[in-house]
Amino acid sequence: KGKSIFKDVREVQELISSASLIPLKNFETVGLFEDNLFIDVVDFEWCWRAAFYHDLRFFRDTGVRLNHAQGEGDKFVLFVRISVSAPIRMFYQYRNYIMLLSRIYVPSYWKFSNGVKLFFKAIYLPICVGPFKDYLNNIRKGISQGCANRSIRLKRTNS
């Protein structure tokens, strides 16, 4: 992903915060990571906000390797690799997705692709990975809390 700048360096729209180097002055300009998004998409949201409001750019050194496992690993379904997250992570993924949908600086490609991924995860994870009830309860709670937080944020910005 991203546009090649020179050997081993690509300009990207977002970075994971693991092993990122961010000057302190950028936090003074953009603000801190958003606590309300605890655990999922916190780093992406900060990058999108920084780029949209402050024209900051992000670069990835493709020559650097970081052993970084996400979730519980991957499973293949019909030749598609699906990241498996613990049931509790579903709460945060669905909640944060809904909270970010109305933000103008969040890229449309992410809203669409993540929506598709979460739709399939809601079917696949409870049935094929289980425990069924744990996944469904966390997804339901995430959607509910995301809608509640989104409406609270919308009321604050409209007043």
Side-chain angles (χ1 to χ4, degrees):
K1 285 184 175 181
K3 175 182 156 190
S4 183
I5 301 301
F6 53 89
K7 186 181 180 333
D8 291 339
V9 176
R10 301 186 77 73
E11 184 170 5
V12 295
Q13 289 189 298
E14 66 270 324
L15 293 166
I16 62 170
S17 55
S18 303
S20 289
L21 301 173
I22 304 170
L24 285 176
K25 69 177 182 172
N26 289 354
F27 285 110
E28 292 168 3
T29 301
V30 176
L32 299 175
F33 291 117
E34 187 175 332
D35 290 345
N36 291 340
L37 294 175
F38 174 72
I39 214 163
D40 273 289
V41 200
V42 177
D43 38 16
F44 282 21
E45 184 278 336
W46 189 88
C47 291
W48 297 328
R49 184 166 25 108
F52 188 85
Y53 291 112
H54 305 284
D55 293 322
L56 294 182
R57 298 166 62 195
F58 303 94
F59 301 91
R60 180 171 177 252
D61 184 337
T62 59
V64 174
R65 296 286 175 243
L66 172 68
N67 289 332
H68 182 272
Q70 288 185 306
E72 309 292 313
D74 296 336
K75 295 213 181 220
F76 285 88
V77 179
L78 301 173
F79 309 106
V80 176
R81 186 177 76 176
I82 295 179
S83 174
V84 176
S85 301
I88 187 63
R89 289 296 292 272
M90 293 296 94
F91 168 80
Y92 297 106
Q93 289 177 16
Y94 282 81
R95 181 196 66 179
N96 293 358
Y97 174 73
I98 290 169
M99 287 172 59
L100 292 174
L101 278 177
S102 62
R103 299 188 188 180
I104 60 171
Y105 59 88
V106 175
S108 297
Y109 80 85
W110 181 85
K111 292 175 184 179
F112 176 76
S113 65
N114 227 45
V116 170
K117 287 176 195 173
L118 291 174
F119 174 78
F120 285 108
K121 279 185 172 188
I123 297 165
Y124 171 76
L125 291 174
I127 294 170
C128 299
V129 176
F132 185 83
K133 274 184 157 181
D134 290 350
Y135 275 106
L136 285 184
N137 283 336
N138 280 291
I139 290 168
R140 180 186 54 74
K141 288 176 188 174
I143 292 169
S144 174
Q145 187 68 49
C147 290
N149 284 347
R150 184 174 170 196
S151 60
I152 289 169
R153 182 180 168 85
L154 289 173
K155 283 180 190 171
R156 277 192 213 140
T157 57
N158 290 338
S159 15

